[in-house]
Amino acid sequence: MDAQGRGRADNIDPADQWVLNPNTGEYELRLTPSAPQSGVPRPRRGSPANAVPGAGTRARRAPERESPATPGPDVPGPRRRRGAPAEPPPGRRKGRTKPKKSKAKKILLWTGGSMAFVLVAVSAAGYLYLKHLEGNVSTTDVGSAGKKGFSKDEAFNILIIGTDKRTGKGNEGYGDKGSVGHADTNILLHVSKDRTNATALSIPRDLIVDVPDCPTKQPDGSEKVVPGTQNVRFNTSLGQDGRDPGCTMRTVKAVTGISVDHFMMADFNAVKTLTSAVGGVDVCVAHAVNDKESHLKLPAGKSKVEGEQALAFVRTRHSFGNQGDLDRIKVQQQFLGSLMRKMSSSDTLTNPAKLISLAEAATKALTVDTGIGNVSTLKDVALELKKVPTKNITFTTVPVLDNPAEKVKATVVVNQSQAPAVFDAIKSDVSFTAVKQKEKKEKAEVAARLKGTRSAAADIRVDIYNGGAPGGSAQETLNWLQNTEGVPKSSQLGNAAAPLSKTTVEYSPDQADQARKLADLMGLSASALKPGKSEKNSQGLPAIVLTLGKDFKGAGVSLTTPTKAPEVDKSTADKTVCAS
């Protein structure tokens, strides 16, 4: 900026407003100074006249002195370098000329200004696009059936529901005509706390269960309790009598003992739009398929399906196995594994058009609970799931038996000799695949907490709190410890300050022998022991703090968690299996 234009906003060169910060390497907007100053920093003595501070060399900004516009009588004129043309004598110039900026600097600064403009424009467009996607998402308030928010630091359980409701053009040939939208496909997806593994547990729609009473939110904001029903198909937990997905979540908890945090629900259109968005999904069949009911026609071997053909693939059951729902579940698991591989492939992740198409399709296809009912949270869920290697995503099904009450086998019941171990493994965050174990040192330190002497039961001093166990659990445990196990120095102090997922025992170092004995009585694993501080009991004496968590099963019931998952019929998301 020249001297004549100094301080005038209308003469500011836009390129001069963006400067390179040598400390950060970033271009920064330099606002118009409040006091007159040189528009271009003076070069340091000995530096080239057109040098750009920070461009190639580290520039220190020295205090600047303002030079007089013209030399005074006592100020010598500028010295002329040897070989340089003589300056015109004073008064012979045709007006002051604007000093030329370095061409490199000009380009650099204009580029910085343009880049900043692009970034601002992209940010604004991204914000508007996110708001647009927000409008695509449908939500249902399931109340206390799920969590109010999503945590990136905890294990989480999402119930994925596929309904048989006919919605959208072209779906007339699928599902039951006039269906209210039953829970046709159900997968409980458990993602481990450390994100090393995940388990997708399929729940048969024809599983006989007791559906509990279900509070549901009505359109006018009121609440209506839909009465429970006994000895009915699992799929009636949704749609029947006005039940919402929260009812299905509660039914899962009643059957498995696993708390469901959130749900995602989709209808037939979701399969069509999601597969088209990623450019098709690879599937494999052991033999050629020509199903007149679903209109699926595929040659033996590998094929790519999308749209109507993809929907026909996951709906077909007459072409595989015993033509029942359990065989169709296996086909759906194989399809979902392939869809996961395609969605996480570089072909999808590096293709902006596919990503946008996928974002549009996913947000339009899904109905979710209000706890994850915004695009930002759904993105967080997707990013957490993306951390899990596909080789450690296990697909399995609730162990079942044919319903013994039926002569013509149409429904199934939970296999009580096998299913509880599966449910316990999921609740205890145990992987069904071989994953990298935690550091041996850490494991040894935890295991060592149970090694050492035990005090007598009568010497244990413990305060009991309820930290998420059923109501009355603290009092029940107090009675059991005092009257059955001989622990008279115990007291019940009500509810803990915050709920816990697992029961814990906190103690000071000098109470380790008491903590180990209490762990033996309670059936607690080493991980439940938390060395730290004790608290003062009502007599002012140090006492162990026993907090009953959500895993508490009752006084005298062992809480030792499984360390290994049971053997089950399973598949993993990284492998292609041909449906047969």
Side-chain angles (χ1 to χ4, degrees):
M1 188 182 299
D2 62 8
Q4 293 175 347
R6 190 182 297 135
R8 291 176 51 190
D10 55 348
N11 285 334
I12 292 175
D13 187 337
D16 285 335
Q17 294 182 281
W18 292 93
V19 295
L20 180 68
N21 185 329
N23 296 320
T24 65
E26 301 289 339
Y27 286 95
E28 299 176 354
L29 178 64
R30 182 175 64 200
L31 300 176
T32 305
S34 57
Q37 61 181 2
S38 171
V40 180
R42 287 183 180 277
R44 296 176 61 195
R45 180 177 295 177
S47 299
N50 63 346
V52 181
T57 60
R58 184 176 298 172
R60 294 182 180 178
R61 185 150 188 162
E64 297 186 22
R65 293 192 298 269
E66 196 68 40
S67 299
T70 57
D74 298 326
V75 181
R79 297 180 61 185
R80 180 166 58 91
R81 289 181 299 167
R82 182 178 297 175
E87 288 285 331
R92 298 284 298 273
R93 294 181 182 177
K94 295 182 180 180
R96 191 182 298 273
T97 58
K98 191 173 184 178
K100 290 185 178 181
K101 295 184 179 72
S102 162
K103 185 176 181 181
K105 176 185 176 185
K106 190 87 171 182
I107 294 174
L108 202 59
L109 294 179
W110 267 110
T111 303
S114 301
M115 182 61 70
F117 176 80
V118 170
L119 290 174
V120 170
V122 169
S123 298
Y127 171 78
L128 292 175
Y129 185 64
L130 285 176
K131 296 303 289 183
H132 160 72
L133 291 178
E134 203 83 59
N136 290 347
V137 181
S138 299
T139 61
T140 298
D141 185 353
V142 296
S144 61
K147 288 187 175 180
K148 299 300 181 184
F150 176 74
S151 173
K152 298 180 184 179
D153 302 320
E154 298 292 337
F156 60 91
N157 301 314
I158 296 181
L159 181 62
I160 302 170
I161 306 172
T163 74
D164 60 359
K165 189 173 183 179
R166 294 181 179 183
T167 59
K169 185 177 180 181
N171 289 327
E172 296 82 5
Y174 300 102
D176 298 326
K177 186 176 181 179
S179 173
V180 293
H182 292 122
D184 193 49
T185 298
N186 309 276
I187 298 175
L188 178 61
L189 178 64
H190 170 81
V191 181
S192 70
K193 181 176 181 178
D194 60 9
R195 308 298 188 250
T196 61
N197 66 92
T199 303
L201 179 69
S202 291
I203 303 172
R205 65 174 189 178
D206 295 326
L207 179 67
I208 296 300
V209 298
D210 291 341
V211 178
D213 293 347
C214 178
T216 59
K217 296 284 185 178
Q218 301 301 303
D220 62 359
S222 63
E223 187 177 276
K224 174 186 176 183
V225 177
V226 180
T229 50
Q230 287 71 47
N231 202 38
V232 294
R233 280 181 166 88
F234 181 90
N235 69 342
T236 61
S237 63
L238 177 68
Q240 196 81 7
D241 302 322
R243 294 187 176 111
D244 64 12
C247 302
T248 309
M249 295 167 70
R250 295 174 191 274
T251 304
V252 170
K253 175 69 181 294
V255 173
T256 67
I258 302 170
S259 296
V260 184
D261 303 317
H262 306 285
F263 84 87
M264 293 182 178
M265 182 172 67
D267 59 17
F268 297 139
N269 278 319
V271 176
K272 294 193 289 186
T273 56
L274 287 174
T275 53
S276 295
V278 297
V281 172
D282 297 323
V283 298
C284 181
V285 292
H287 53 79
V289 175
N290 187 3
D291 193 322
K292 295 179 181 179
E293 302 237 358
S294 67
H295 309 294
L296 178 66
K297 189 174 183 179
L298 290 176
K302 296 181 179 179
S303 300
K304 180 177 289 186
V305 296
E306 68 174 277
E308 289 286 348
Q309 196 177 31
L311 179 58
F313 183 81
V314 299
R315 293 289 301 167
T316 295
R317 64 175 177 175
H318 297 290
S319 298
F320 304 118
N322 295 322
Q323 302 185 11
D325 189 51
L326 295 179
D327 291 298
R328 182 172 63 173
I329 285 175
K330 292 182 179 179
V331 174
Q332 291 172 345
Q333 292 172 346
Q334 294 161 17
F335 175 85
L336 285 174
S338 182
L339 178 59
M340 286 180 175
R341 293 194 297 273
K342 189 61 178 285
M343 291 174 69
S344 61
S345 69
S346 58
D347 179 53
T348 300
L349 297 177
T350 60
N351 188 323
K354 280 188 178 181
L355 285 175
I356 290 175
S357 181
L358 184 59
E360 290 284 353
T363 51
K364 288 179 179 178
L366 297 175
T367 297
V368 301
D369 60 282
T370 52
I372 55 173
N374 60 70
V375 172
S376 176
T377 306
L378 287 173
K379 177 204 67 177
D380 289 342
V381 173
L383 290 177
E384 292 304 305
L385 181 57
K386 187 177 179 295
K387 294 177 182 179
V388 182
T390 53
K391 68 178 182 178
N392 289 333
I393 300 177
T394 302
F395 290 98
T396 190
T397 305
V398 173
V400 295
L401 299 170
D402 287 333
N403 187 352
E406 295 177 335
K407 291 183 179 179
V408 178
K409 304 304 179 184
T411 61
V412 293
V413 296
V414 172
N415 184 337
Q416 294 298 340
S417 66
Q418 297 179 7
V422 174
F423 302 153
D424 284 344
I426 293 174
K427 283 188 289 185
S428 301
D429 206 20
V430 176
S431 176
F432 283 78
T433 57
V435 299
K436 186 177 180 180
Q437 299 296 319
K438 295 180 180 179
E439 294 295 330
K440 292 183 179 180
K441 181 180 178 181
E442 181 184 352
K443 291 180 66 179
E445 288 177 352
V446 172
R449 296 171 190 170
L450 281 177
K451 294 180 179 179
T453 60
R454 268 73 169 162
S455 72
D459 294 334
I460 298 174
R461 217 170 6 246
V462 57
D463 288 343
I464 308 166
Y465 292 88
N466 189 327
S473 294
Q475 185 63 46
E476 176 191 355
T477 301
L478 175 67
N479 296 337
W480 173 74
L481 286 174
Q482 289 183 341
N483 301 325
T484 305
E485 300 300 327
V487 184
K489 300 174 184 177
S490 51
S491 57
Q492 187 270 110
L493 298 180
N495 294 328
L500 298 177
S501 59
K502 296 183 180 297
T503 298
T504 62
V505 175
E506 298 179 67
Y507 57 96
S508 59
D510 60 342
Q511 295 173 307
D513 59 341
Q514 297 180 36
R516 286 190 283 267
K517 180 61 176 180
L518 182 61
D520 292 343
L521 296 176
M522 297 284 297
L524 296 172
S525 62
S527 61
L529 300 182
K530 306 295 181 184
K533 296 180 180 180
S534 59
E535 69 176 19
K536 300 292 185 182
N537 67 6
S538 57
Q539 286 80 40
L541 299 173
I544 294 172
V545 178
L546 170 63
T547 306
L548 306 177
K550 294 179 181 179
D551 63 337
F552 183 75
K553 301 175 182 178
V557 180
S558 175
L559 292 178
T560 302
T561 57
T563 57
K564 184 179 179 180
E567 291 297 324
V568 293
D569 184 12
K570 64 185 180 183
S571 62
T572 52
D574 64 318
K575 295 180 181 177
T576 300
V577 181
C578 293
S580 59

